């Protein structure tokens, strides 16, 4: 992908997404679905949102992209800032320049009017009037980054779910927003496709983008996230590094399935075997058990 100066700087002092005292009630719903949310996500951070069904994760994403309250209405209090700017007075279109969004079902977010993967990626850029030579360069780069060059001439609707999800992600990433909000992208995918999607999200983070990801696959959350936010009943129940959140009693009390390595470490502890640290992957657990202070690559 072509170099993009300001996207590449990973200045962690800058907050990319800031929610201050956000409380929100959908029209007609009994009580608030988001309650007193205070959350600052740094530029370039990979922040995962976890929590049980109905916790408010998707609603939180909707608040970050302005759909709550601009589209859904309802009672909204508090402030959402993107790159320091309050979005209260921005239109959804203006917010979309800074915040890209991909959700669960890739099928529903394809434009539906393009004949090939190549055109699907070029679609948004053509709409913006980007010069053709630049479109070609950006599409080629993104096909490569997403590992979908082999499907470039295929009809997006004839691809597998995993391939479609990578096309949907690529079609968003090519728009080059700084903040990427992704809601359960792998819930319908097999393990290999899940790994492929995470590799692509990680590549986007490496370009300096801020990642906000809702995900139920805790092994992947543990491995990729800088920070994890545990939501429950509309509130932030725990926040911190994956090791902090997965070992917080709130994780168990909110029915979170722990990553395999942390669950194993806890079972071993029950048998009197203490595992140093909180290994986030099984290879790291094995490394910790074999006593090496060496770093086990994951
Ligand atoms: N458009 C809507 N109108 C009214 N209530 C809604 C609407 N969308 C969601 N809700 C309610 O808000 C609460 C939070 O929903 P939300 O979809 O944000 O949860 P979630 O954490 O994303 O859950 P899941 O894991 O099932 O996707 C739920 O009680 C849900 O029923
Ligand atoms: Mg949801």
């Amino acid at each position: 992908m072509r170099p993009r100066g300001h996207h590449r700087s990973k200045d962690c002092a800058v907050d990319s997404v800031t929610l201050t005292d956000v409380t929100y009630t959908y029209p007609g719903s009994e009580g608030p679905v988001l309650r007193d949310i205070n959350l600052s996500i740094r530029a370039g951070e990979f922040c995962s949102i976890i929590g049980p069904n109905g916790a408010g994760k998707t609603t939180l994403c909707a608040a970050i992209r302005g759909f709550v309250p601009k589209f859904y209405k309802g009672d909204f209090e508090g402030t959402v800032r993107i790159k320091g700017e309050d979005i209260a007075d921005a239109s959804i279109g203006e917010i979309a320049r800074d915040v890209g969004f991909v959700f669960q079902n890739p099928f529903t977010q394809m434009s539906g009017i393009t004949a090939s993967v190549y055109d699907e990626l070029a679609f948004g850029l053509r709409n913006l009037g980007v010069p053709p030579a630049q479109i070609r360069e950006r599409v080629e780069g993104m096909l490569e980054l997403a590992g979908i060059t082999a499907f470039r001439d295929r009809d997006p609707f004839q691809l597998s779910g995993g391939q479609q999800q990578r096309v949907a992600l690529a079609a968003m990433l090519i728009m080059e927003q700084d903040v990427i909000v992704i809601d359960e992208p792998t819930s319908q995918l097999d393990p290999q496709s899940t790994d492929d999607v995470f590799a692509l999200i990680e590549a986007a983070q490496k370009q300096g983008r801020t990642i906000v990801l809702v995900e139920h696959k805790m092994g992947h959350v543990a491995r990729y996230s800088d920070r994890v936010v545990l939501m429950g009943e509309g509130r932030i129940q725990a926040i911190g590094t994956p090791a902090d959140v997965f070992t917080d009693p709130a994780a168990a009390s909110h029915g979170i399935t722990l990553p395999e390595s942390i669950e194993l470490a806890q079972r071993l502890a029950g048998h009197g075997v203490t595992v140093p640290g909180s290994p986030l992957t099984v290879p790291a657990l094995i490394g910790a058990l074999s006593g090496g202070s060496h770093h086990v690559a994951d």
Side-chain angles (χ1 to χ4, degrees), residues 137-271:
E137 192 190 326
R138 279 167 71 172
V139 172
E140 297 293 346
M142 188 50 70
L143 287 167
E144 182 82 14
L145 186 76
I148 53 176
T149 308
F151 323 129
R152 59 189 297 149
D153 298 323
R154 300 263 304 275
D155 176 348
F157 287 99
Q158 284 169 6
L159 299 174
S160 73
Q163 292 163 346
Q164 279 188 5
Q165 189 59 290
R166 270 186 291 155
V167 171
L169 273 163
M172 171 199 54
L173 292 174
I174 203 166
M175 303 308 284
E176 302 188 336
Q177 293 102 335
D178 284 324
V179 180
I180 307 298
V181 179
I182 313 172
D183 193 356
E184 296 199 45
T186 72
S187 59
Q188 297 169 24
L189 304 188
D190 60 57
Q192 180 60 52
S193 303
T194 298
D195 288 348
D196 293 344
V197 162
F198 268 86
L200 180 53
I201 297 170
E202 187 182 40
Q205 187 203 13
K206 288 206 168 114
Q207 294 176 328
R209 322 254 201 128
T210 307
I211 310 295
V212 182
L213 171 71
V214 177
E215 182 58 63
H216 281 290
K217 291 179 181 160
M218 297 306 159
H220 288 80
V221 167
R223 181 170 163 191
Y224 286 93
S225 310
D226 297 314
R227 224 149 43 116
V228 177
V229 177
L230 168 63
M231 297 274 302
E233 291 140 19
R235 290 184 198 280
I236 295 179
Q237 304 287 347
I239 181 166
T241 63
D244 289 342
V245 171
F246 287 121
T247 55
D248 191 305
S253 69
H254 286 84
I256 298 299
T257 314
L258 297 180
E260 210 178 1
S261 56
I262 290 183
E263 210 221 306
L264 278 168
Q266 292 185 349
R267 289 206 341 238
L268 286 166
H271 291 277

